[in-house]
Amino acid sequence: MSRFVADPRPALQWRADQAVRPIERITPQEIAVGLSFDGRPHTVLMATPEDLEDLARGFVVTEAIAAAQDIVAITVTTEELGVLADVRFPPGAGPRKARPRNLEGRSSCGLCGVERLADAVRPLPRLADGGGALAHAVIPRALARLEDEQALGRLTRATHAAAFFSLDGELVLLREDVGRHNALDKLAGGLLRDGLDPAGGFVVVTSRCSFEMVEKTVRLGCPILVAVSAPTALAIERAEAANLTLVALARADGHAVFAGGERLIETQPEPA
């Protein structure tokens, strides 16, 4: 069994047309992960204890704290009450524009502890026009592949996934976590660590599409975000302002395009 899940837990299952019966359920691990910059504590995330260097690297970039190339090293250590990930920057540089926080960041929320409204909705860079085109038919194929590759999600049914696909639908990288923001940050960190170009494909997330998911995708530099669930009004507004293609309500039989539809095409181009 994966070390990222707990031992099976007992429960009583109730069904309207059946007798109550005892069951056992496998659940994912969720621990406190402290993020610090040059030894100075910044925030605490509740996360699945996997790919924590990717989580720290992705958080730094998608929260506009620093560029990936500004990171000198990431050290992950196990503490008595959780795990500490310390991000090191060049001497005298330090992180910039870190949003002040006074609470832990829970797995369900990307803005926990942010103190000021101005820190909640900040200016976004605008993605370049053009780039590769994504065929509508590629999206359901990507969703099917994502479903097949979610090992932790399939085992527990209690985690989110974020994945990066090439424009022809090939799975490049996938990350899972109890938190949707954490999964996307882990994906961002993994792509940046491997030197992959986020502009050359699209991101798929299994969660609802709040504005923070849009912002993280934009700061990563990926022009297309596909979400399984629905977007909020602010997510659509932020996507339009940042020139992000936003596809949501993605299912095997279709999807809805809320912004940036010019990057989507009816059929996939033939290989040159």
Side-chain angles (χ1 to χ4, degrees):
M1 187 175 295
S2 170
R3 64 189 178 92
F4 306 116
V5 298
D7 293 333
R9 301 299 178 93
L12 292 176
Q13 180 168 281
W14 183 91
R15 292 285 187 270
D17 57 348
Q18 300 176 13
V20 175
R21 65 185 182 91
I23 63 169
E24 287 191 335
R25 186 77 182 187
I26 297 173
T27 57
Q29 296 280 12
E30 184 176 24
I31 66 167
V33 179
L35 290 183
S36 62
F37 304 138
D38 290 325
R40 296 186 298 274
H42 175 62
T43 192
V44 177
L45 306 172
M46 298 307 298
T48 302
E50 180 181 21
D51 302 311
L52 295 183
E53 287 191 25
D54 287 348
L55 174 61
R57 181 179 294 103
F59 184 94
V60 165
V61 172
T62 66
E63 288 290 310
I65 293 165
Q69 58 266 29
D70 293 335
I71 298 173
V72 172
I74 300 173
T75 303
V76 177
T77 56
T78 301
E79 308 286 333
E80 182 179 358
L81 299 177
V83 173
L84 177 64
D86 184 50
V87 183
R88 297 284 174 173
F89 298 93
R96 59 185 182 270
K97 299 181 181 177
R99 289 192 273 207
R101 296 169 182 254
N102 60 8
L103 292 172
E104 78 275 15
R106 297 180 176 88
S107 59
S108 60
C109 176
L111 293 176
C112 293
V114 172
E115 296 173 329
R116 300 183 303 165
L117 290 175
D119 290 321
V121 183
R122 300 179 297 174
L124 276 178
R126 182 174 173 82
L127 296 165
D129 291 327
L134 175 63
H136 286 279
V138 170
I139 294 175
R141 296 206 304 266
L143 292 173
R145 181 71 189 279
L146 180 60
E147 177 68 21
D148 291 341
E149 297 297 327
Q150 291 179 66
L152 189 59
R154 187 167 55 252
L155 189 63
T156 67
R157 294 299 176 185
T159 56
H160 289 292
F164 183 75
F165 290 85
S166 64
L167 292 172
D168 59 2
E170 290 298 315
L171 177 62
V172 178
L173 193 66
L174 180 146
R175 291 289 183 264
E176 295 180 274
D177 197 276
V178 291
R180 57 196 173 92
H181 305 93
N182 298 338
L184 184 51
D185 280 340
K186 286 180 177 181
L187 177 69
L191 292 172
L192 295 167
R193 182 202 63 222
D194 293 344
L196 299 172
D197 182 10
F202 63 103
V203 167
V204 181
V205 295
T206 59
S207 65
R208 69 183 178 90
C209 187
S210 57
F211 82 94
E212 313 99 298
M213 304 298 276
V214 165
E215 290 190 347
K216 287 177 180 292
T217 303
V218 171
R219 292 197 179 103
L220 173 61
C222 182
I224 304 172
L225 172 62
V226 176
V228 169
S229 193
T232 65
L234 184 55
I236 298 170
E237 292 171 12
R238 300 291 273 172
E240 290 172 338
N243 196 29
L244 174 76
T245 296
L246 176 58
V247 178
L249 299 170
R251 302 288 188 273
D253 59 349
H255 46 265
V257 182
F258 288 90
E262 64 276 2
R263 291 192 180 95
L264 292 168
I265 57 176
E266 290 301 320
T267 58
Q268 190 171 344
E270 293 294 329

